[in-house]
Amino acid sequence: MSKLIWGMGSIVVLATTVIGGNLYADKSLNSYYQQNQKSNSLSIQYKNFNMGPMQGSADWVAEFTLDPCKPKDVLILNGTDAIKRSWNGYHIESLIHLKQGNQVFQTLLKQPLTAQTKIDWLGVIHSSLTTPVYEKNDAETQTRIDPMTFKIAAKSNADQLDIHNLKFQIPNITVNDKLGHVQMRDLEFETNQGSNSVLDEGKTRLNIASIQRTDRNVQQFGSGELKNFALMVNTGVDQQLVNFDTQLKIGEMTMPKTPSMRDFQMNMNLKALNKQKIQTFFDLLEKNTEVCESKKELSQDVVNSFLAIVNEGFSFESENNQIKVGDGYAKASLTGKVMPGHQTSFESLFKMAPNLVEYQANVEYDKQIMKIIMKNYLQQGGKALSDQELEQMLNGMQQSLQAKREGDILKVGIEYKYGEKKFLN
């Protein structure tokens, strides 16, 4: 929620956003830059503020406590703001230096960073920052991360800052070690959630153009490539209920000695979750980032909060799931619900789960996908698959799964209720 941090660049951008947060028409620059800000994880002090009719400057020091259990392990940044006033608001250019930080920050902030912040007269804020190249080389591993771009959109609301959108992009990441080479291209993360204290509607997405692993021995199982990865989580909220809709897509997956898979899609929608219990659960997770408490005590609070959500009951559905292998395909869908309960531990929840869950599943796959998968599997053992053997296998599956066959397509329907499963075809 409000204190979730999405990476180093986000910390720096958030600092400059907070600093510029109240600089709009009905605020006094002088009074703002003379007030210090402090919370459990962040403190900012200002000095040397000087503002003329159209431009000015100010210095500041921001101190972040990254781990509440390690109060002396802090990140300290020095900044200088160059402020310009124009017809459409303020523009602040923040030059940022590292004063204190761990090895990662020392590597990323070898040279000063520059953050750009624009604030219009309605209090809408846009801040951005680009980091230098990150490189770390030792005897066994060489890592390079191309310049990362971080952006935050926010709005000053009374005495707080509401984060509307956070986004970061990494063009390329490469890691070389004794086992092989890994490359990730065009990673992009964007969210308008996890930044404010109140659960509200929104979405989070992660896109990666490709992830490629090349082992020193290219025929090893670990080599392969994943293309066009896309993960999206949508949150719908009304006065009492919350829905979570998750969509995962992968354009193509390739590995040595394995059929190429493409157009993979999996969806899951959790429906009618209790809003207040979800809020309590997230508040506890946020608390974990702000204070140092007994992990055992906090973990039990989190467990109890999670069980309270499950005990309330909810429904779920997973539609339009699919995967293609060669010219073959498989599809699946699932709908069901979790009945209300009174579980007090994970052990009792797992024990009672078969009686609490009801669902109906439908699976459809064609002859071609089975042929490709079985042919590849048998080839690994030096065997072949004839058309007659494939038909015998499909007939056996049809009988054992009580599947309905329509030409080269098999369909299986399953209903699970009261701890018992039955086939619907």
Side-chain angles (χ1 to χ4, degrees):
M1 306 304 290
S2 63
K3 298 301 184 294
L4 290 182
I5 300 299
W6 303 103
M8 191 288 298
S10 311
I11 294 176
V12 177
V13 177
L14 183 59
T16 58
T17 303
V18 170
I19 289 163
N22 288 322
L23 305 185
Y24 57 101
D26 61 348
K27 295 288 182 179
S28 167
L29 282 174
N30 185 66
S31 63
Y32 182 79
Y33 270 106
Q34 288 183 3
Q35 66 178 353
N36 295 325
Q37 300 187 25
K38 186 174 180 60
S39 67
N40 290 336
S41 57
L42 168 66
S43 68
I44 302 176
Q45 295 181 328
Y46 311 104
K47 61 181 180 179
N48 302 329
F49 170 71
N50 183 24
M51 187 68 192
M54 298 302 294
Q55 61 185 12
S57 63
D59 298 326
W60 52 268
V61 177
E63 181 174 317
F64 298 87
T65 303
L66 304 177
D67 185 343
C69 295
K70 299 178 181 178
K72 295 183 179 181
D73 184 13
V74 297
L75 167 66
I76 302 177
L77 303 175
N78 287 336
T80 299
D81 287 356
I83 309 164
K84 293 184 179 181
R85 182 189 286 116
S86 65
W87 64 272
N88 61 352
Y90 290 99
H91 178 268
I92 303 171
E93 183 174 281
S94 301
L95 188 63
I96 304 162
H97 298 80
L98 175 68
K99 182 177 181 181
Q100 179 179 327
N102 61 31
Q103 185 62 44
V104 174
F105 289 107
Q106 292 175 19
T107 303
L108 282 170
L109 295 170
K110 286 182 178 179
Q111 61 191 56
L113 300 181
T114 301
Q116 306 289 340
T117 302
K118 295 181 179 179
I119 307 109
D120 66 21
W121 298 121
L122 299 176
V124 178
I125 305 158
H126 293 277
S127 289
S128 64
L129 174 145
T130 299
T131 69
V133 172
Y134 172 85
E135 289 185 305
K136 182 179 180 181
N137 300 304
D138 56 36
E140 295 187 347
T141 305
Q142 297 80 48
T143 303
R144 176 188 168 93
I145 303 177
D146 283 2
M148 298 176 284
T149 300
F150 296 81
K151 297 180 180 180
I152 285 180
K155 192 176 191 303
S156 192
N157 182 13
D159 292 328
Q160 70 177 24
L161 190 70
D162 293 337
I163 307 298
H164 290 176
N165 189 267
L166 186 150
K167 180 178 181 179
F168 73 79
Q169 299 167 295
I170 308 177
N172 191 67
I173 301 174
T174 57
V175 179
N176 290 288
D177 57 29
K178 60 182 180 181
L179 297 178
H181 172 82
V182 177
Q183 181 178 28
M184 181 183 299
R185 294 192 302 105
D186 294 331
L187 182 150
E188 185 173 285
F189 175 87
E190 185 173 13
T191 183
N192 54 12
Q193 297 180 279
S195 303
N196 304 309
S197 59
V198 179
L199 181 67
D200 53 14
E201 291 189 341
K203 64 179 62 178
T204 297
R205 69 177 180 89
L206 172 65
N207 293 85
I208 304 173
S210 71
I211 304 174
Q212 186 175 27
R213 169 76 189 184
T214 305
D215 285 346
R216 300 302 180 196
N217 179 354
V218 296
Q219 295 303 311
Q220 289 184 5
F221 183 77
S223 294
E225 185 174 12
L226 181 151
K227 296 181 180 179
N228 298 324
F229 175 95
L231 175 65
M232 175 80 77
V233 180
N234 294 311
T235 303
V237 180
D238 61 21
Q239 291 185 346
Q240 296 180 335
L241 302 176
V242 180
N243 297 331
F244 293 108
D245 183 9
T246 303
Q247 304 171 7
L248 172 63
K249 295 182 179 181
I250 299 175
E252 185 178 7
M253 294 179 285
T254 57
M255 290 184 293
K257 301 180 180 180
T258 302
S260 175
M261 294 174 282
R262 58 187 174 85
D263 296 338
F264 175 85
Q265 180 172 310
M266 184 173 67
N267 308 291
M268 176 59 74
N269 187 7
L270 303 181
K271 304 172 66 176
L273 293 159
N274 184 285
K275 178 182 177 181
Q276 184 56 53
K277 288 180 169 58
I278 293 289
Q279 180 73 64
T280 300
F281 179 72
F282 283 134
D283 287 345
L284 284 170
L285 294 180
E286 179 181 359
K287 182 180 178 181
N288 189 34
T289 68
E290 294 182 326
V291 298
C292 183
E293 287 190 357
S294 165
K295 296 300 181 182
K296 183 176 180 181
E297 177 184 344
L298 186 61
S299 296
Q300 189 57 51
D301 288 341
V302 172
V303 169
N304 293 338
S305 179
F306 178 81
L307 290 173
I309 296 171
V310 177
N311 286 333
E312 188 77 11
F314 58 92
S315 60
F316 56 88
E317 63 180 24
S318 181
E319 304 284 351
N320 301 318
N321 304 303
Q322 70 170 28
I323 189 169
K324 296 179 182 179
V325 180
D327 296 329
Y329 76 90
K331 297 181 179 180
S333 63
L334 175 73
T335 59
K337 59 183 177 181
V338 176
M339 306 298 290
H342 305 281
Q343 312 311 312
T344 58
S345 67
F346 280 136
E347 290 79 7
S348 63
L349 176 63
F350 293 146
K351 184 177 180 180
M352 289 298 298
N355 297 315
L356 294 175
V357 177
E358 299 179 4
Y359 68 82
Q360 182 171 321
N362 294 284
V363 180
E364 175 184 321
Y365 56 93
D366 69 353
K367 178 179 178 179
Q368 189 65 17
I369 193 172
M370 295 304 303
K371 180 179 180 180
I372 294 171
I373 293 174
M374 292 306 301
K375 183 178 180 180
N376 177 262
Y377 173 76
L378 292 172
Q379 281 179 344
Q380 303 301 319
K383 300 179 181 180
L385 178 69
S386 67
D387 290 342
Q388 183 179 2
E389 290 172 326
L390 177 61
E391 278 296 322
Q392 290 175 349
M393 183 187 69
L394 293 175
N395 288 334
M397 296 178 65
Q398 182 180 0
Q399 294 176 9
S400 63
L401 298 176
Q402 300 179 32
K404 179 181 179 182
R405 186 164 181 178
E406 298 177 354
D408 289 340
I409 299 174
L410 275 74
K411 297 182 178 180
V412 181
I414 301 173
E415 182 180 75
Y416 182 89
K417 202 171 188 179
Y418 307 125
E420 296 183 358
K421 178 176 65 176
K422 69 176 181 180
F423 294 97
L424 302 178
N425 296 313

